Amino acid sequence: MTHATVLAEAGQPAGFDWPFFWHYLFSPSGVFLDGLWRTVYISVIAQLLGVLLGFAVALAQRSRFAPLRWGGRTYVWLIRGTPLLVQLVLVYNGLAAAGVYRFADLQVGGLVFLGVVQAAILTLAVNEAAYMAEIFRAALDAIDPGQAEAAQALGMTPAMTMRVVLLPQAIRIIVPPLGNEFNLMMKSTSLLSVIGLQEMFLTAQSINSATFKTFEIFLVVACYYLALTTVWSFVQRFIERRLADPGQVIAAPSLRERFAGGGPGRSTTGREDSPLVGKEAH
Amino acid sequence: MEPITSPADASAVMSARGVVKRFGAVRVLNGVSMDVRAREVVVVVGPSGSGKTTFLRCLNHLERIDEGEILVHGRPVGHRPRPTGSEPPVEERPKVVAHRRRNIGFVFQRFNLFPHLTALDNVAVAPTKVLGTPKAQAREQAQDLLARVGLGHKASSRPSALSGGQQQRVAIARALAMKPELMLFDEPTSALDPEMVGEVIAVMKELVDDGMTMIVVTHEMGFARSAADRLVMFDQGAVLEEGPPERLMTDPAHERTWAFLRRINEGG
């Protein structure tokens, strides 16, 4: 008996099981879709909370009260200085083991809010807030100090200056790194498998232990993460266009231009006539 | 302890006494005193680094003073009132400072228009948010003010679509929207291309004709000669001399004033 036949008789797949792959890619099981759904809503809620908390931390860092500034900096130092994986285990398993706090399932109306989901969203949001705080800080620092001075000179209070003048300008700067953060957030949810949260990754693991189709099932998982981040990148680009200064907007290139590489400014015809080309060359 | 200088004049629109401002170890203002009466137009000149811009910024508390007293309409802008005038200034709460700045207009060298708002909204935003003027009314006033500075047709333009001179005129309209009783101009034409200086100066002259009280830091001696009631020469963080523009330009008491004015006349 050859080695290959032994494997075949033991029920091991020889090579890549394409039918299995296509099946899970295009008609995933209900369990898998539940996992996918958890990945999506946990990412969205944790990111939203992370943005709000991050803004609060950034404000604390800019406060005129020293203890608040110190608190904000300590927060960022602690959270950014430790791995998310460690934070997750500490919050969910650690606190319970120490008898400090156990995340229990909550029932709101007809919905059950699992304890592990609460712990996951809380930890992801707290973790995200540290990074968002730095993004807010950088964006607010990037705005010309003359903007805040002009607002103050018009009699605006610091809160009004932030709301009316600084924040609308900061948001435009924040969207690209925020998009990055949300992309990372969706992928970070795979870490939730270690605290036993049935998101997409853990669901795939249980499918794997039942079928041993490791390569196929995790390739399906990779495709779904890629699909999520791809959809998000389109949403992000849409938001960026909406926020752009209408005076400086560049028209969205058409699909044909994207693939053919043509379009305004890059056209190969009429190069001599374009006054821009000569300037760019220098 | 006796105050070194006479107390600030509460009847003047703006009254400064013994103002000292330090940046670290450097004394940028070295005991400046000045009074400005209602409807008076004062032009402040002086070499770069003489403290004239810092002084102007102190007047609406964009800079904190270290010693002395500044009263606008008889009240300090950014400090608690002090009974004897000699104790160190105590900072007011930001909300109070904001409230007291309402009737002081400030025009910046670099315009500082809000780039995310149209010209109209740049002018309408402060009355709406700060004074609580109904939006429709604030926009109507803003449209009138833009027309007054010759930019009625640019109401829906963003600052990025306006020339420097147009931006500065919008900035003046924005300051006027708060109905200030005192206008401060910090080198309003020095960031402009030469051909745009005239349109901004013209708007400022109209304000003078309307009886606005103004303190203008500028090197535009033409404006000083034709519009100013008083010319103040700053040097090394203090007032070197002051008087009617014609006298300072033709017969200054100090050699440094004469040398400085001759230098900027050659440049301009």
Side-chain angles (χ1 to χ4, degrees), chain A residues 64 146-147 149 152 164 245, chain B residues 57 101 112-114 116 160:
Chain A
R64 59 199 176 99
Q147 290 291 308
E149 286 184 353
Q152 285 168 11
V164 177
D245 181 350
Chain B
R57 288 165 61 83
R101 279 189 184 121
N112 295 348
L113 289 182
F114 305 132
H116 59 298
S160 56

Side-chain angles (χ1 to χ4, degrees), chain A residues 108-126:
Chain A
V108 185
L111 288 168
V112 180
F113 198 33
L114 292 175
V116 67
V117 174
Q118 299 164 35
I121 290 178
L122 178 76
T123 313
L124 287 173
V126 163

Side-chain angles (χ1 to χ4, degrees), chain A:
Chain A
M1 263 203 296
T2 63
H3 191 62
T5 51
V6 172
L7 278 177
E9 275 165 22
Q12 289 287 343
F16 191 82
D17 188 343
W18 284 103
F20 180 92
F21 174 76
W22 293 123
H23 173 75
Y24 265 90
L25 190 64
F26 290 116
S27 49
S29 63
V31 183
F32 188 86
L33 285 178
D34 282 348
L36 174 69
W37 169 236
R38 279 194 198 103
T39 291
V40 172
Y41 81 74
I42 288 175
S43 308
V44 171
I45 296 174
Q47 186 69 46
L48 286 175
L49 293 176
V51 169
L52 295 177
L53 185 58
F55 182 56
V57 173
L59 286 185
Q61 286 179 322
R62 293 167 67 90
S63 166
R64 59 199 176 99
F65 301 110
L68 273 179
R69 287 200 300 274
W70 186 84
R73 276 188 219 125
T74 310
Y75 180 96
V76 171
W77 171 70
L78 273 179
I79 302 295
R80 285 204 314 169
T82 52
L84 175 59
L85 190 58
V86 175
Q87 292 166 7
L88 277 169
V89 175
L90 276 177
V91 168
Y92 187 63
N93 307 107
L95 290 182
V100 179
Y101 186 74
R102 188 178 296 277
F103 285 90
D105 298 354
L106 277 177
Q107 203 150 5
V108 185
L111 288 168
V112 180
F113 198 33
L114 292 175
V116 67
V117 174
Q118 299 164 35
I121 290 178
L122 178 76
T123 313
L124 287 173
V126 163
N127 181 275
E128 181 58 29
Y131 294 90
M132 284 311 302
E134 288 294 282
I135 291 172
F136 274 111
R137 187 173 67 87
L140 290 170
D141 284 351
I143 299 171
D144 177 0
Q147 290 291 308
E149 286 184 353
Q152 285 168 11
L154 288 165
M156 292 193 195
T157 61
M160 210 182 279
T161 301
M162 179 57 74
R163 207 172 58 241
V164 177
V165 174
L166 299 183
L167 208 49
Q169 296 183 54
I171 283 172
R172 217 177 275 169
I173 309 173
I174 281 165
V175 170
L178 172 68
N180 225 1
E181 286 298 305
F182 187 58
N183 177 304
L184 286 168
M185 171 69 83
M186 285 191 285
K187 293 179 292 182
S188 299
T189 53
S190 59
L191 293 176
L192 300 176
S193 57
V194 296
I195 58 170
L197 198 156
Q198 284 282 350
E199 41 64 66
M200 187 160 55
F201 184 81
L202 190 56
T203 310
Q205 263 187 337
S206 39
I207 295 171
N208 175 44
S209 47
T211 61
F212 297 107
K213 309 271 187 194
T214 310
F215 194 30
E216 291 84 348
I217 191 65
F218 282 107
L219 209 55
V220 170
V221 168
C223 289
Y224 273 94
Y225 279 117
L226 187 61
L228 288 180
T229 52
T230 305
V231 169
W232 168 244
S233 70
F234 283 114
V235 174
Q236 184 190 337
R237 218 157 299 163
F238 173 76
I239 297 172
E240 281 173 25
R241 272 186 212 295
R242 286 295 297 269
L243 287 176
D245 181 350
Q248 295 173 349
V249 143
I250 300 153
S254 71
L255 264 185
R256 191 181 59 81
E257 281 165 357
R258 273 187 211 180
F259 286 108
R266 273 183 288 166
S267 126
T268 45
T269 56
R271 195 164 267 265
E272 294 81 6
D273 315 323
S274 168
L276 270 178
V277 175
K279 276 186 194 158
E280 278 170 353
H282 291 294

